[in-house]
Amino acid sequence: MGTARGFGVDIGGSGIKGCPVDLDGGVLAEERMRIPTPHPSTPDAVADAVAEIVEKFGWTGPVGVTLPCVVKEGTAHTAANIDKSWIGTDAQTLFAERLGRDRGEVCVLNDADAAGMAEMSVGTGVGRSSGLVVVLTFGTGIGSAMFIDGKLIPNTEFGHIEVDGHDAETQAAASVKDNLELTYPEWAPRVSRYIQALESFLWPDLIIAGGGVSKKAHKWLPLLEARTPVVAAALKNDAGIVGAASAAVTSGDV
């Protein structure tokens, strides 16, 4: 018997990346392809990039696609770090038409929800079937996924809570660290302040920190001051691809 495989595409503010996924192992099955996110990142331009990635691998099965948006029944309702024309777009139908598939063969979900699902099923969250777990992805913005007793509560937007009068991700996203050329010791207090604000109305049992910056977790996680244990994501920046591929094969719409 062959290994179960799926295909995931993760759309971010700076890059779109995707490839086949080994669903049993929760790892990328081939070297991923990455395309810079088009500017402007309109639905048509992004759909073209997604099609280019899927066609590069000759993939013919179901496809999972993440968006940095609140997604309900395949339609985008917000647009964080992506063109505002996504709001109200039936993304599931758009991608299905561009990929030459039936609508039911394409699953579209929030990017942080996809990353969180992957971490909970094959990553750091394995075995965490009770309590409250929050997955935070630090990238262009801050994405979030919340799990209660292992069950996803979809479309949380904890990256947009107000911290000291500002939208949280404008203060503590990884892109802020890069744009302001902050060192990890300079950036970590911003992340601490964000997590403390989150803790003012949530009592998580665990926070899993993901996104590309999780590759350097040892440089900043030990510097955080928080009530909740904060641990690094195991799948790092591949979590969105893995989660999207799994969702496309197992659950259809999320």
Side-chain angles (χ1 to χ4, degrees):
M1 268 179 68
T3 302
R5 282 163 52 113
F7 199 100
V9 181
D10 190 16
I11 297 169
S14 59
I16 301 172
K17 49 195 184 293
C19 70
V21 172
D22 170 356
L23 296 176
D24 296 327
V27 295
L28 305 189
E30 299 183 39
E31 184 176 350
R32 72 186 190 187
M33 178 181 179
R34 184 186 187 278
I35 297 174
T37 302
H39 292 288
S41 49
T42 60
D44 281 340
V46 170
D48 285 344
V50 170
E52 181 180 344
I53 292 171
V54 174
E55 290 162 7
K56 159 79 162 49
F57 292 93
W59 183 260
T60 57
V63 175
V65 184
T66 80
L67 281 172
C69 311
V70 167
V71 180
K72 287 177 173 272
E73 298 179 349
T75 295
H77 291 274
T78 64
N81 305 304
I82 198 168
D83 196 82
K84 299 303 180 189
S85 58
W86 276 97
I87 297 173
T89 296
D90 182 348
Q92 189 175 0
T93 295
L94 171 67
F95 290 128
E97 290 177 350
R98 198 61 54 94
L99 296 172
R101 284 162 172 75
D102 292 335
R103 192 172 187 273
E105 291 183 284
V106 175
C107 176
V108 182
L109 66 164
N110 173 267
D111 55 352
D113 284 348
M117 290 164 58
E119 285 296 330
M120 294 298 286
S121 60
V122 295
T124 300
V126 169
R128 290 278 179 169
S129 57
S130 63
L132 173 59
V133 178
V134 175
V135 179
L136 299 173
T137 58
F138 293 89
T140 306
I142 301 175
S144 64
M146 183 169 73
F147 297 84
I148 298 177
D149 295 338
K151 179 176 175 57
L152 173 68
I153 309 301
N155 291 311
T156 56
E157 289 282 271
F158 296 145
H160 298 294
I161 65 173
E162 186 175 303
V163 179
D164 300 328
H166 300 280
D167 188 272
E169 68 176 24
T170 68
Q171 304 300 301
S175 60
V176 175
K177 176 190 176 300
D178 295 339
N179 292 339
L180 298 181
E181 298 182 349
L182 302 176
T183 64
Y184 285 102
E186 290 170 335
W187 179 61
R190 291 170 173 256
V191 180
S192 292
R193 181 72 191 95
Y194 164 60
I195 292 176
Q196 290 162 8
L198 187 63
E199 289 174 327
S200 68
F201 59 92
L202 280 184
W203 280 76
D205 297 291
L206 180 70
I207 292 174
I208 299 173
V213 74
S214 63
K215 288 182 280 192
K216 303 282 189 179
H218 63 284
K219 292 189 174 184
W220 59 280
L221 287 193
L223 304 177
L224 298 183
E225 296 180 8
R227 178 179 69 222
T228 309
V230 184
V231 299
L235 301 178
K236 301 182 173 63
N237 215 20
D238 293 337
I241 297 174
V242 173
S246 178
V249 171
T250 60
S251 62
D253 286 349
V254 172

